[in-house]
Amino acid sequence: MHIAMIGTGYVGLVSGACFAEFGSTVTCVDRDAGKIERLRSGDIPIFEPGLDDLVARGVRSGRLRFTTDLPTAVSGADAVFLAVGTPSRRGDGHADLRFVEQAAIDVAKALSGYTVVVTKSTVPVGTGRRVAELIRDTNPEADVDVASNPEFLREGSAIGDFMRPDRVVIGCETARAQAVLRELYRPLFLMETPMVVTGLETAELTKYAANAFLATKITFINEIADLCDKLGADVQDIARGMGLDGRIGKKFLHAGPGYGGSCFPKDTLALARTAQDVGSPVRLVETVVQINDRRKGAMAGRIMAACGGSVRGKSIGVLGVAFKPNTDDMRDAPSLSIIPALQDAGATVKAFDPAAMHEAQSLLPDVEWCADPYAVAEGAHAVALVTEWNEFRGLDLERLGAPMRQRVFVDLRNVYRPEVVRAQGFAYTSIGRP
Ligand code: NAD
């Protein structure tokens, strides 16, 4: 099978490399010539564990290629995946479909022979039909089916998620298109991965429903954590007590500074807008969006409170700026709300992140970037743990505290046991724990 993957970002690059590993021949296309150049020279433009090896293997096997030449990639393909970005449209929160529509038109011009055009990007209901219409208008002769195959991988564990997914969702309307997609995912049949084969609209909405549900789960436990702070209860134990119930499940019950990242914020908002447009508002999701936005703003207040009510003239050390560990993705990261709020309140900020500092530099000006976690503590009035990278889990607390002006530790991810940190002479606050 020959695949053209249009868009070589987090999803396109991982999906392309994984399909090549499954045995397909994949050409990854991007309009960003710099990115393609880097990939061709063996330099992976994003941080994703294991991706460098996988890409190198694909390239060595001759089954993975990179190009800016979309027409050539598309003309020989059995399936063309659209994996371009669908960010929030400025002003109204709808998904911005500019990149998808442009890619559909570019692809349409280059189609030859029967091809399945598959939206892998997260797209609002109706986009598959719009893509089909654009292709028909641009190239009425094209022998094409349009399908939806939303992607559920998580940054940081993207390869494992793609290779061993909980399920594959396929939205399509012809047996022919279904056969192509089943063939592409055939290696997963051996592991009996469930396939949900359905219509276009259902597949598109399934992705939004799943993300909105997970965002709701996070937001729920965050509100319970705030309640714990008032009532003297422990949210970690509550999450465990709830999560062991098989109907609830343990995952996504970690209280923290609010969800961020490249998906949940934009997808919850886009779902809410779609639902409003068709007169069937999803009020629960609208509320989740509001609560989460407020929460990210409120986290700086927690750090200020831990510093005695003000950070004016104080130095704050920040551990982690990526929206979660094992990624360099800064999109909608809580640190983007927290750090500017601290700076606006008069603090100077030093920060360290194992992978995201390069990405963060232009987004967080005036931060002093440090070489390791201990350097952020030098002269600091407080250290805040914002992203729970593994390397922050076992810090030498004595070494951290020694150069601090005062030993204040704000743990926004509940990584440490309070008694352990307090035993080292720190004033320690976390989320929803006594
Ligand atoms: P990204 O911004 O990392 O990558 C998108 C790439 O598409 C960019 O490299 C861009 O240059 C390229 N591009 C845009 N228009 C193009 C065109 N016409 N031709 C060729 N290349 C083009 O985005 P991403 O994080 O990979 O997300 C892609 C889609 O997948 C989004 O809809 C997103 O919601 C969805 N998704 C993302 C994740 C995730 O964890 N990042 C997970 C599941 C689904």
Side-chain angles (χ1 to χ4, degrees):
M1 284 275 178
H2 284 76
I3 295 175
M5 187 66 65
I6 313 301
T8 308
Y10 285 88
V11 166
L13 182 55
V14 171
S15 307
C18 289
F19 276 131
E21 181 82 2
F22 287 167
S24 292
T25 301
V26 183
T27 308
C28 289
V29 182
D30 207 286
R31 56 180 193 163
D32 180 341
K35 194 177 266 189
I36 293 300
E37 208 39 60
R38 285 180 68 179
L39 284 161
R40 280 182 162 165
S41 67
D43 179 17
I44 307 295
I46 54 171
F47 178 86
E48 180 62 43
L51 191 56
D52 42 3
D53 286 346
L54 190 69
V55 168
R57 212 164 41 241
V59 171
R60 267 200 312 276
S61 71
R63 289 197 304 274
L64 183 61
R65 283 192 283 266
F66 302 101
T67 185
T68 53
D69 177 4
L70 181 145
T72 307
V74 166
S75 62
D78 302 293
V80 177
F81 284 84
L82 306 182
V84 298
T86 49
S88 267
R89 192 162 69 191
R90 201 169 293 174
D92 65 9
H94 275 288
D96 185 344
L97 293 176
R98 252 180 315 161
F99 304 113
V100 173
E101 293 184 350
Q102 186 56 52
I105 292 167
D106 294 345
V107 165
K109 290 178 192 157
L111 290 169
S112 72
Y114 176 69
T115 317
V116 187
V117 175
V118 192
T119 50
K120 198 164 238 333
S121 302
T122 303
V123 291
V125 174
T127 307
R129 300 221 179 269
R130 173 82 184 126
V131 165
E133 184 183 273
L134 285 168
I135 294 174
R136 252 196 332 270
D137 290 351
T138 310
N139 181 355
E141 306 300 314
D143 184 11
V144 68
D145 278 315
V146 171
S148 162
N149 171 220
E151 183 49 59
F152 295 93
L153 63 77
R154 295 162 297 174
E155 288 172 20
S157 52
I159 294 169
D161 289 348
F162 193 96
M163 300 266 201
R164 293 177 293 282
D166 292 332
R167 78 308 207 182
V168 172
V169 173
I170 291 171
C172 66
E173 290 176 329
T174 67
R176 211 174 167 197
Q178 198 190 125
V180 169
L181 282 155
R182 280 192 185 275
E183 178 59 22
L184 289 175
Y185 281 109
R186 197 162 46 92
L188 299 182
F189 294 156
L190 302 173
M191 298 184 294
E192 298 182 357
T193 302
M195 296 261 162
V196 180
V197 180
T198 177
L200 280 175
E201 285 76 8
T202 305
E204 289 167 341
L205 190 53
T206 301
K207 172 67 188 176
Y208 281 100
N211 272 3
F213 187 83
L214 294 172
T216 302
K217 210 171 166 190
I218 294 172
T219 305
F220 181 85
I221 201 68
N222 282 341
E223 288 216 304
I224 295 294
D226 289 352
L227 194 55
C228 286
D229 279 334
K230 299 281 184 210
L231 300 179
D234 185 327
V235 74
Q236 303 275 98
D237 290 342
I238 291 176
R240 196 167 138 73
M242 285 172 65
L244 286 169
D245 184 328
R247 294 169 301 178
I248 296 174
K250 284 185 269 193
K251 294 186 178 158
F252 285 75
L253 283 181
H254 301 289
Y259 60 79
S262 61
C263 292
F264 289 176
K266 77 173 176 64
D267 293 346
T268 45
L269 200 54
L271 177 62
R273 291 291 175 265
T274 300
Q276 283 161 1
D277 281 358
V278 297
S280 180
V282 283
R283 293 197 215 288
L284 183 59
V285 180
E286 289 174 15
T287 306
V288 163
V289 171
Q290 285 163 12
I291 294 171
N292 194 65
D293 283 348
R294 269 205 304 271
R295 181 170 195 84
K296 283 199 269 185
M299 287 300 117
R302 281 184 182 246
I303 298 168
M304 290 181 217
C307 288
S310 168
V311 290
R312 184 155 300 283
K314 293 183 176 166
S315 169
I316 309 296
V318 171
L319 295 173
V321 291
F323 87 90
K324 67 173 178 181
N326 294 323
T327 183
D328 58 354
D329 200 336
M330 286 295 297
R331 287 177 280 189
D332 275 309
S335 66
L336 295 176
S337 306
I338 296 169
I339 291 177
L342 293 172
Q343 290 169 326
D344 286 349
T348 55
V349 174
K350 290 185 185 187
F352 169 74
D353 187 285
M357 291 198 287
H358 182 71
E359 278 300 305
Q361 265 157 17
S362 59
L363 302 168
L364 292 167
D366 304 324
V367 167
E368 185 184 329
W369 297 101
C370 296
D372 65 65
Y374 297 102
V376 308
E378 272 167 36
H381 295 82
V383 165
L385 196 160
V386 175
T387 312
E388 68 280 32
W389 283 89
N390 271 343
E391 69 174 271
F392 301 153
R393 289 180 182 274
L395 292 170
D396 176 344
L397 294 173
E398 186 44 46
R399 186 175 160 203
L400 191 79
M404 291 177 72
R405 290 210 200 137
Q406 52 187 42
R407 290 191 177 206
V408 175
F409 194 109
V410 184
D411 181 356
L412 296 181
R413 299 289 184 173
N414 290 352
V415 163
Y416 283 91
R417 293 221 310 277
E419 63 278 15
V420 170
V421 190
R422 288 185 185 130
Q424 298 285 334
F426 281 87
Y428 174 82
T429 45
S430 55
I431 304 281
R433 296 188 298 172

